[in-house]
Amino acid sequence: MKICYTSRGLLMLTREEIQMSEQQFTDFFDPEIQKIVSEDGCSIYRMKNVTGEGVITRYEILPGIELFYNDFHMSDGQNQNKLPHSDVLEINHCREGRFECEFANGDYQYVGAGDLAINRLTNETTSTYFPLSHYHGISITIDLPTADQTMKRIESVIGGLNIDVFSIADKFCKNDTCVVLRTQSEIEHIFSELYRVEPRMIAYYLKVKVLELLMFLNQVSLQDYQEERRYFARNQVQTIKKVQEYMTADLRNHYTLQELSEKFEIPLTSMKVCFKGVYGCSIYAYMKSYRMQAATILLRDTSDSITEIAAKMGYDNPSKFSEAFKKEFGELPSEFRKKLSK
């Protein structure tokens, strides 16, 4: 979670702009989200439900532009961006985890680590979900009419930026689509610095980095960066989530892909493609990592022997379990437990 640290700069929000900004935020998010801290230009919100909790740190960057640090440790993200806003552009960068968005028409879209997603808030979304139960990233919302005036004011002072937010929206969001850009050095450079900026510099630094991002998007060729991302139908996603629940219900059991395909009546190829779309990796890789994560909890919270834990994770051979654990975490289960005891 970022620390609020603000100071007055060249372009500040007026009282009316702050009120409009606050109303826009409450329109985007569920009322269950509670403001817990607020300083000049920065607010921190917390949301909590039975699946965990999340923290949103919101900065008012420039008139018409806001930046959010999103830190979630939960699976059900409830219903964010629930109201359509055709004049608002949203930019999302995922640092860790995975984000699922369900649209009102039943389609699902996914954003994974390193992805930059750009969309216009035109289509109503009905729910959000974090398939890996955690998500860390940045969102930037741009109110196009207000931000356009802001860019003109900055241009009159600095000159040479030539940032056209309407042109950016038209380039990336034709036909109200969501475009996902592959991880590239330019994108990584811009956002990596946003994640580690010092609090004392944040008031001004965020302005500079957002302008840098807009300059990049204004100039970049979409063909060089666009990565086609599938939309998945609701029935496919629901089936895949049932597959995941079935496989993780008892980790002692192992299932072949063919067995899963037949049990849940989904074509094998569709099952593999959709599972990777939802969870970001193959079924085999997911279950291997899931077992190791579950093993760390047993090593930490129980006195079960490593042999017993290996059996609960579906390993008949404790040595193979220890080998897989070391490959995942860089240390043996015995070393992991010994470190915890200290």
Side-chain angles (χ1 to χ4, degrees):
M1 181 177 68
K2 292 289 181 182
I3 300 172
C4 286
Y5 191 103
T6 60
S7 178
R8 296 190 176 275
L10 174 65
L11 290 173
M12 293 301 299
L13 296 172
T14 66
R15 183 183 301 273
E16 291 75 15
E17 288 169 335
I18 291 174
Q19 291 174 344
M20 289 177 60
S21 174
E22 184 70 28
Q23 180 61 48
Q24 185 181 85
F25 180 84
T26 55
D27 282 349
F28 287 168
F29 293 88
D30 277 343
E32 288 79 2
I33 295 182
Q34 298 178 345
K35 182 189 289 186
I36 56 175
V37 176
S38 183
E39 296 179 9
D40 185 17
C42 172
S43 301
I44 299 178
Y45 301 81
R46 175 178 293 155
M47 61 183 296
K48 189 174 183 179
N49 58 37
V50 294
T51 69
E53 65 178 28
V55 174
I56 302 170
T57 307
R58 167 177 170 251
Y59 288 94
E60 298 156 355
I61 305 300
L62 293 163
I65 303 176
E66 296 182 333
L67 183 145
F68 306 83
Y69 287 96
N70 303 307
D71 298 286
F72 294 98
H73 292 277
M74 61 200 310
S75 57
D76 182 4
Q78 297 176 265
N79 179 19
Q80 299 184 46
N81 294 342
K82 59 182 179 179
L83 296 179
H85 292 265
S86 59
D87 57 351
V88 175
L89 188 70
E90 183 180 59
I91 302 169
N92 283 289
H93 181 265
C94 175
R95 184 185 188 186
E96 295 178 22
R98 200 160 184 82
F99 176 79
E100 169 192 289
C101 179
E102 180 186 4
F103 296 97
N105 64 2
D107 287 341
Y108 286 74
Q109 175 68 290
Y110 292 88
V111 175
D115 288 342
L116 182 68
I118 306 171
N119 66 291
R120 211 162 182 162
L121 299 185
T122 304
N123 296 322
E124 181 181 358
T125 60
T126 58
S127 68
T128 58
Y129 182 74
F130 304 106
L132 304 180
S133 295
H134 80 279
Y135 178 86
H136 302 280
I138 286 174
S139 299
I140 299 170
T141 59
I142 302 172
D143 181 285
L144 295 172
T146 305
D148 180 61
Q149 294 301 312
T150 299
M151 292 303 107
K152 290 177 180 177
R153 289 158 62 186
I154 294 176
E155 183 72 21
S156 67
V157 176
I158 300 176
L161 296 181
N162 299 318
I163 297 174
D164 186 337
V165 291
F166 283 105
S167 176
I168 293 172
D170 291 341
K171 176 166 59 175
F172 289 101
C173 303
K174 288 183 179 179
N175 303 318
D176 297 329
T177 57
C178 175
V179 168
V180 180
L181 306 187
R182 297 189 302 269
T183 300
Q184 295 287 340
S185 57
E186 295 93 338
I187 297 173
E188 183 62 25
H189 168 72
I190 294 171
F191 281 93
S192 64
E193 295 179 341
L194 283 171
Y195 291 113
R196 60 172 184 260
V197 58
E198 294 183 15
R200 64 185 179 84
M201 297 174 57
I202 205 166
Y204 301 102
Y205 194 71
L206 292 183
K207 293 179 173 65
V208 174
K209 297 304 292 184
V210 167
L211 289 175
E212 181 184 0
L213 174 64
L214 292 177
M215 289 180 66
F216 167 75
L217 295 177
N218 198 58
Q219 299 171 7
V220 70
S221 172
L222 183 59
Q223 287 71 26
D224 294 337
Y225 286 85
Q226 186 174 3
E227 179 178 351
E228 182 181 355
R229 293 298 172 98
R230 294 173 182 256
Y231 286 87
F232 297 99
R234 179 183 288 117
N235 64 333
Q236 283 185 308
V237 173
Q238 289 175 343
T239 298
I240 290 302
K241 290 181 179 179
K242 290 177 182 177
V243 171
Q244 187 268 354
E245 291 174 2
Y246 180 70
M247 292 189 299
T248 58
D250 188 344
L251 296 177
R252 292 172 295 185
N253 297 325
H254 293 265
Y255 307 99
T256 67
L257 297 183
Q258 191 61 45
E259 288 173 336
L260 295 170
S261 173
E262 292 174 359
K263 178 174 178 60
F264 290 93
E265 300 180 344
I266 179 174
L268 182 60
T269 300
S270 297
M271 181 181 71
K272 291 191 291 185
V273 170
C274 190
F275 191 96
K276 187 171 184 179
V278 174
Y279 294 101
C281 61
S282 68
I283 293 176
Y284 172 79
Y286 178 86
M287 288 305 300
K288 185 177 180 181
S289 180
Y290 191 97
R291 283 186 165 90
M292 296 303 104
Q293 295 289 344
T296 64
I297 296 174
L298 295 180
L299 287 165
R300 183 192 66 197
D301 297 343
T302 75
S303 58
D304 292 351
S305 68
I306 292 176
T307 299
E308 291 172 324
I309 293 174
K312 290 180 179 180
M313 297 300 104
Y315 285 83
D316 296 329
N317 187 328
S319 296
K320 288 187 177 180
F321 165 72
S322 295
E323 182 182 340
F325 191 93
K326 185 174 183 179
K327 189 173 182 180
E328 182 82 8
F329 299 110
E331 58 187 352
L332 294 169
S334 57
E335 295 170 336
F336 177 83
R337 175 170 271 175
K338 186 177 181 179
K339 184 175 66 176
L340 288 177
S341 67
K342 293 181 179 181

